[in-house]
Amino acid sequence: MMDNKKFEKIARALSDASRITILQQFKKKKGCLYCAEITELLDLTQPSVSHHLKQLVDADLLIPEKEGRNLKYVLNEEVLDDYISSLSALKD
């Protein structure tokens, strides 16, 4: 079971529609996404996308990986699974 502080941080990160949309893009791509790709997929400015990505990284939902001058992001499925399990435990 996830500790309450981490649970809260993830819940806050997921409380924005743009961040949910970003995570949905990871599901569609089944892999990694670059910041530039996410900016193209969403109707948001690059600074806005960077802000949302930072929130998701801070909550450990995305793992940033440096690739040359670019950053690519990978979905942290383990943390997402732990969060979903902790959320499910609330109704048991």
Side-chain angles (χ1 to χ4, degrees):
M1 183 95 164
M2 180 178 285
D3 73 74
N4 287 345
K5 284 288 185 195
K6 184 160 180 103
F7 187 88
E8 177 188 19
K9 192 166 201 157
I10 293 170
R12 284 182 190 265
L14 295 175
S15 69
D16 184 279
S18 295
R19 293 192 280 267
I20 297 292
T21 303
I22 290 170
L23 292 180
Q24 288 169 334
Q25 294 304 318
F26 279 90
K27 178 146 177 70
K28 286 180 186 173
K29 277 287 272 200
K30 295 185 169 125
C32 68
L33 284 170
Y34 293 89
C35 187
E37 285 180 284
I38 296 166
T39 303
E40 288 173 16
L41 293 167
L42 303 174
D43 189 24
L44 297 172
T45 63
Q46 191 277 325
S48 185
V49 169
S50 291
H51 167 76
H52 291 305
L53 289 171
K54 181 179 177 351
Q55 299 298 311
L56 293 168
V57 168
D58 288 349
D60 292 328
L61 291 168
L62 294 181
I63 302 166
E65 296 178 0
K66 195 120 173 91
E67 195 172 85
R69 292 179 53 196
N70 297 317
L71 263 183
K72 71 177 182 180
Y73 296 88
V74 178
L75 185 62
N76 190 341
E77 293 185 27
E78 184 180 329
V79 168
L80 190 57
D81 289 343
D82 287 348
Y83 177 75
I84 292 167
S85 295
S86 296
L87 195 58
S88 292
L90 292 175
K91 69 175 194 170
D92 291 338

